[in-house]
Amino acid sequence: MATNVNDEEYDRVKEVKQFDESKIGVKGLVDSGITTIPRFFVHPPDVLSQLKPGSKIRPDLVIPAIDLSGVDSHHNRSLIVDQIRQACSSFGFFQIINHGVPLGVLDRTFESIKGFHEEPTEIKARFYTRGLGTGVSYISNVDLYNSKAASWRDTLQLRMGPKMADHDQIPEICRNEVIEWDREIKRLGEVLSGLMCEGLGVETSRLKEMTCLEGRTMVGHYYPKCPQPDLTIGLAYHTDPGVLTVVQQDHVGGLQVKYGEDWVDVKPVPGALVINVGDLLQLDESNNNNNNNNNVLQKLS
């Protein structure tokens, strides 16, 4: 039996700790000029094989894009409610267009978050922490110490509700933009939750009354160019724990949704927002009727 000496000498915990305490993030690694990624970023072959072109990808499936224009019209609203109900019970994802969030807000928010991640390391390091005591946290990988392999990304987390992060603690480069974003997304969240409630056969205000919309966290991921992209991933497969997630995807794309045993690309649509149904509002696909869905909401209350 052969013994790999490198495996014996490799101390993953030590290497992860050194990286975390450096506070440079993945962007800092790239800026340092590395040509080989640290070993704890390398994912096992079985995970990487799923990402290769043609492996369990369904190009014939398309995530629904739902037009919210005319949502205040009784006729249009009933059609939109039905479209959302179907999308939630099949994919758990859908895109929305004509959602009322100005394109300027989307562009400014995106550029400001990107601007933060591209600031000098010494500026970003002041925000690097794994706690959300002030409501602001800049880190690389929330599960860095627990995951089998780290993902190639940095993240800025901002608590937006029920109590917004301390104003002065929000990075100045994106402060006004994320506050403007939150104002728009809070409004949009109320609209979407109302439509979802109607699709479930309960009162439009049910989720709002249950305070499901009060806790809000903004998460800005950044994926620097990787010198060995075939060995790692930007974001591991997961589910979101809340009621719903509003995602602004850039023109590059890369987001995928699991449908059965296959993966479906969420192709970017200019100006669209991606909506992800969270764990707290999962529909039972095996018995998708109003009575059953009403029980889902009763369990939340």
Side-chain angles (χ1 to χ4, degrees):
M1 181 176 63
T3 300
N4 190 326
V5 177
N6 291 331
D7 284 344
E8 290 184 347
E9 294 177 349
Y10 177 64
D11 188 337
R12 184 184 187 280
V13 174
K14 180 180 179 181
E15 188 171 333
V16 166
K17 191 170 185 292
Q18 288 176 340
F19 167 73
D20 194 38
E21 292 179 348
S22 72
K23 300 183 178 183
I24 66 173
V26 171
K27 181 63 164 58
L29 291 176
V30 174
D31 291 344
S32 70
I34 65 168
T35 57
T36 302
I37 66 175
R39 185 166 168 178
F40 60 86
F41 281 103
V42 178
H43 284 252
D46 61 318
V47 173
L48 298 173
S49 64
Q50 298 180 30
L51 306 178
K52 293 180 179 179
S55 59
K56 293 190 175 182
I57 303 297
R58 289 283 300 273
D60 59 308
L61 292 177
V62 178
I63 299 301
I66 299 174
D67 188 343
L68 294 189
S69 60
V71 71
D72 293 328
S73 162
H74 177 73
H75 175 69
N76 286 351
R77 188 178 184 90
S78 62
L79 293 176
I80 292 171
V81 166
D82 188 57
Q83 290 174 334
I84 289 178
R85 180 187 59 78
Q86 292 184 40
C88 290
S89 60
S90 57
F91 290 101
F93 276 79
F94 56 95
Q95 299 201 64
I96 52 173
I97 58 176
N98 295 320
H99 41 65
V101 180
L103 293 182
V105 172
L106 299 181
D107 291 342
R108 287 192 294 273
T109 304
F110 181 86
E111 290 302 322
S112 69
I113 296 297
K114 181 173 180 284
F116 168 81
H117 284 290
E118 295 180 351
E119 284 195 306
T121 299
E122 57 269 22
I123 294 178
K124 294 184 293 183
R126 300 202 302 265
F127 301 96
Y128 197 98
T129 176
R130 295 196 170 274
L132 265 176
T134 64
V136 179
S137 171
Y138 162 61
I139 53 173
S140 182
N141 288 257
V142 173
D143 57 351
L144 180 65
Y145 289 92
N146 302 319
S147 62
K148 294 181 179 179
S151 299
W152 195 255
R153 75 176 185 280
D154 295 327
T155 300
L156 175 65
Q157 294 186 102
L158 301 167
R159 186 184 66 232
M160 309 309 295
K163 182 180 184 298
M164 183 176 288
D166 298 344
H167 184 272
D168 294 340
Q169 295 298 319
I170 302 175
E172 185 176 1
I173 192 172
C174 61
R175 184 180 300 154
N176 293 333
E177 289 78 5
V178 299
I179 291 175
E180 184 180 30
W181 161 272
D182 182 62
R183 182 166 56 247
E184 292 290 341
I185 296 306
K186 182 179 180 181
R187 176 198 60 77
L188 178 61
E190 291 187 8
V191 172
L192 288 172
S193 70
L195 294 169
M196 289 178 173
C197 283
E198 291 175 30
L200 290 167
V202 298
E203 298 84 357
T204 303
S205 60
R206 180 70 178 275
L207 285 172
K208 183 178 180 180
E209 291 171 352
M210 292 165 58
T211 69
C212 289
L213 305 180
E214 293 188 8
R216 301 183 307 283
T217 302
M218 181 180 186
V219 180
H221 294 309
Y222 184 83
Y223 309 92
K225 185 175 181 179
C226 182
Q228 294 179 299
D230 293 338
L231 297 181
T232 190
I233 61 176
L235 186 63
Y237 61 86
H238 65 284
T239 61
D240 288 347
V243 173
L244 62 87
T245 302
V246 179
V247 181
Q248 181 180 354
Q249 187 177 202
D250 66 12
H251 67 282
V252 177
L255 178 63
Q256 293 182 327
V257 173
K258 195 165 189 182
Y259 182 76
E261 296 301 317
D262 302 312
W263 290 95
V264 181
D265 289 322
V266 183
K267 296 180 180 179
V269 175
L273 291 170
V274 180
I275 308 302
N276 174 15
V277 178
D279 294 339
L280 286 180
L281 195 62
Q282 286 297 318
L283 301 184
D284 186 344
E285 296 181 12
S286 64
N287 185 20
N288 185 22
N289 56 59
N290 284 344
N291 290 333
N292 182 70
N293 293 336
N294 188 38
N295 289 336
V296 174
L297 282 181
Q298 287 175 354
K299 291 176 183 177
L300 292 175
S301 57

